[in-house]
Amino acid sequence: MSDENRMNPMEEAAGMSEQELNEQRKIRRDKLKALQDAGRNPYLIEKWDQDAYSKDIKDNFDEYDGKVVSIAGRMMAKRVMGKAAFIDIQDDKGRIQCHIKRDLIGQEEYKWFKTSDIGDIYGVVGKVFRTQKGEITVEATQLVLLSKSLQVLPDKWSGLKDMDIRYRQRYVDLIVNPEVKESFIKRTKIIKEIKRTLEEDFGYMEVDTPILTTIAGGANARPFETHHNTLHLDMKMRISNELFLKRLIVGGIDRVYEMGKMFRNEGMDKNHNPEFTSMECYYAYGNMETTMRVTEAVISNAAKAATGSMVINYQGKEFDLTPPWKSIDMTDAVKEITGVNFHEIESDEDARAAAIAYGMDKDDVKDMTRGKIIAEMFEEYCEDVPGFLDGPVFVTGHPVEISPLAKRDPEDPRITRRFEAYINGWEVANAFSELNDPIDQYERFAEQQAELDAGIDDEAHPMDMDFVNALEVGLPPTGGLGIGIDRVIMLVTNAPTIRDVILFPTMKPLDK
């Protein structure tokens, strides 16, 4: 079978056999050729002057009653009754019925209209009225085919339910599943409110930093790699924008933020996509507590902007995002869930023995320090306990071994001034009182680079001497915050997976 005749996944969802679909596709192409032969090629039309939309007309019928409007959109339903027909036009804001009469648009136009197909895009000019059955309708006096649909849309009964097809062909998903568009409208509202809160409530300035870098720093993650041909230079796509933003704090821009795409060459699941949206912001002369207040405000305000409330419902569970949020220390959390009290364990050897006694694999912990074991036990035994991290809650007290960019706690140098924010058991934010000691930073980078070179940890943080140099110039005390925007949007919009809140999620090609 030729590529032109091969049934695509969207057509499989249309409820027809392969033979029926091939016949329909051929019929539509024949119709297009007939239009072109008659000098009516719709693809030559460049614009249509819209002055009204479906929802506006319906919501303000008294204002539009009897008024001539010009609308445009995709024909989603068609009911021909001799010399007249009703069609449903779907535009940017919804659907509206149009009445097509041969006597009003002319016999020639009506003849061509009768050959139209569901999915065709029309411009309609006509007077607004209400039918005897109460349906707000546009009585067409002009009907113009603006684009011919050559594919067969899923029918209104079966719809487009296959999630794999929906993600691959989001353009069809948006047409036949209106609620999907509503989710992405909410996404836009959330992003706008996050930016408004940062700029107007806290005085941050939005900036842009590089996506292509020679050192992928600012987080512990495996980067995507590429090559710059002209410079003969291996480069990486950013995993974080943290180190560039802190360079700007050094340069005297006291409050900066950036929202944009990050790229991590890691696994995929309901909460992870290799390409994702993150927001990071840095607050000179602020600290961990400062960024707690920013986190609470940004997320709770975003929820209210999208839903009208700071109380959200996700998959049947309710979360009140109203500030202030509670906090829990990581070591206390491990003690609460496992009973192992690392506050009373000082040495790495005793920590390994306690972990093994609890049930961790001896080989897994043989090279771990006390701090890494605490972090590993928190991740292994606490994060997935139902209800434990439903939150919203700040988890504090992260060991220094897993926090190479955070300031040490002056009362306990084994831990850092860092928190992670959890909602529904998911980490949605990560923040520090930023490390600004260049000597300490160099030593931590050196330890991480050694683990990277030895193959112990392929996600360890590489050495970045230019960043160390920036710290030597002088970084003021700073509070830094990163928020996983896609996860926040999932929670606010009640989306089961991250793919539901990314318009074009990463997908494996069908032929691979």
Side-chain angles (χ1 to χ4, degrees), residues 299-450:
I299 295 178
S300 61
N301 287 352
K304 188 172 183 180
T307 69
S309 173
M310 290 186 181
V311 178
I312 61 172
N313 187 294
Y314 184 78
Q315 304 295 299
K317 293 196 293 186
E318 194 172 89
F319 304 98
D320 188 348
L321 306 182
T322 306
W325 299 355
K326 68 177 183 179
S327 295
I328 184 171
D329 176 79
M330 181 179 286
T331 304
D332 290 340
V334 172
K335 178 183 176 183
E336 182 175 339
I337 297 301
T338 69
V340 181
N341 186 0
F342 284 95
H343 291 301
E344 298 178 351
I345 297 173
E346 297 294 331
S347 70
D348 295 341
E349 182 178 318
D350 289 344
R352 287 192 285 267
I356 293 168
Y358 185 75
M360 292 190 73
D361 187 274
K362 179 173 63 175
D363 292 334
D364 289 343
V365 303
K366 65 179 181 181
D367 296 319
M368 287 189 182
T369 63
R370 171 185 175 276
K372 279 204 168 184
I373 289 170
I374 292 171
E376 188 69 22
M377 290 190 71
F378 174 79
E379 183 175 337
E380 183 75 19
Y381 302 117
C382 300
E383 286 190 346
D384 294 331
V385 174
F388 184 61
L389 295 175
D390 273 0
V393 59
F394 295 119
V395 176
T396 62
H398 291 66
V400 69
E401 293 94 327
I402 64 164
S403 309
L405 298 163
K407 191 183 288 282
R408 293 178 189 264
D409 190 314
E411 296 182 4
D412 185 351
R414 298 174 302 179
I415 63 174
T416 57
R417 296 277 291 153
R418 173 185 177 187
F419 72 78
E420 291 174 304
Y422 284 80
I423 303 172
N424 189 44
W426 305 349
E427 178 199 337
V428 296
N430 187 23
F432 317 140
S433 287
E434 299 294 337
L435 177 63
N436 60 347
D437 179 341
I439 298 172
D440 189 0
Q441 182 68 84
Y442 174 82
E443 290 172 351
R444 291 197 221 178
F445 276 168
E447 290 174 6
Q448 295 260 315
Q449 184 67 55

Side-chain angles (χ1 to χ4, degrees), residues 58-182:
K58 290 181 173 182
D59 290 350
N60 304 281
F61 175 69
D62 289 343
E63 177 185 337
Y64 282 95
D65 187 15
K67 181 179 178 181
V68 174
V69 296
S70 176
I71 64 172
R74 189 179 300 274
M75 186 173 70
M76 299 300 293
K78 175 183 175 184
R79 303 170 295 283
V80 178
M81 299 163 289
K83 298 178 181 180
F86 285 100
I87 63 173
D88 289 349
I89 290 293
Q90 180 169 293
D91 63 18
D92 185 54
K93 297 185 178 181
R95 291 191 188 185
I96 191 166
Q97 178 173 270
C98 297
H99 189 212
I100 314 299
K101 293 178 67 176
R102 186 184 69 180
D103 293 345
L104 285 179
I105 67 169
Q107 184 170 338
E108 181 72 5
E109 293 298 331
Y110 193 73
K111 180 194 77 172
W112 287 106
F113 159 72
K114 288 200 296 183
T115 70
S116 63
D117 294 298
I118 300 302
D120 289 352
I121 297 174
Y122 273 98
V124 182
V125 175
K127 186 182 295 185
V128 177
F129 76 106
R130 192 191 294 272
T131 67
Q132 290 182 349
K133 292 184 177 181
E135 181 80 11
I136 296 172
T137 304
V138 176
E139 183 84 83
T141 54
Q142 184 183 7
L143 183 69
V144 179
L145 179 63
L146 302 176
S147 184
K148 181 68 182 169
S149 176
L150 301 180
Q151 296 285 5
V152 181
L153 292 177
D155 66 69
K156 67 178 180 179
W157 307 113
S158 59
L160 183 62
K161 297 183 174 64
D162 186 295
M163 296 308 297
D164 187 72
I165 299 173
R166 289 177 60 186
Y167 300 142
R168 291 182 187 279
Q169 300 194 10
R170 183 68 84 185
Y171 43 92
V172 181
D173 189 25
L174 290 165
I175 292 169
V176 300
N177 295 313
E179 69 279 3
V180 173
K181 185 174 180 179
E182 288 302 315

Side-chain angles (χ1 to χ4, degrees), residues 215 217-219 242-243 246-247 403-405 435 438-453 460-469 471:
I215 298 173
E242 174 171 346
L243 302 189
K246 285 198 280 193
R247 286 173 169 92
S403 309
L405 298 163
L435 177 63
I439 298 172
D440 189 0
Q441 182 68 84
Y442 174 82
E443 290 172 351
R444 291 197 221 178
F445 276 168
E447 290 174 6
Q448 295 260 315
Q449 184 67 55
E451 292 188 0
L452 199 61
D453 294 340
H461 200 292
M463 176 63 73
D464 187 336
M465 285 305 301
D466 182 74
F467 180 69
V468 173
N469 183 71
L471 294 188

Side-chain angles (χ1 to χ4, degrees), residues 209-211 213 215-221 223 237-245 258 261-264 276 278 280 282 405 432 461 481-482:
T209 64
I211 291 175
T213 68
I215 298 173
N220 292 78
M237 298 181 76
R238 69 183 179 188
I239 58 175
S240 167
N241 47 12
E242 174 171 346
L243 302 189
F244 285 106
L245 292 173
E258 181 177 15
K261 294 291 186 182
M262 306 298 154
F263 309 87
R264 297 185 182 179
F276 62 97
S278 176
E280 293 198 30
Y282 293 84
L405 298 163
F432 317 140
H461 200 292
L481 166 67

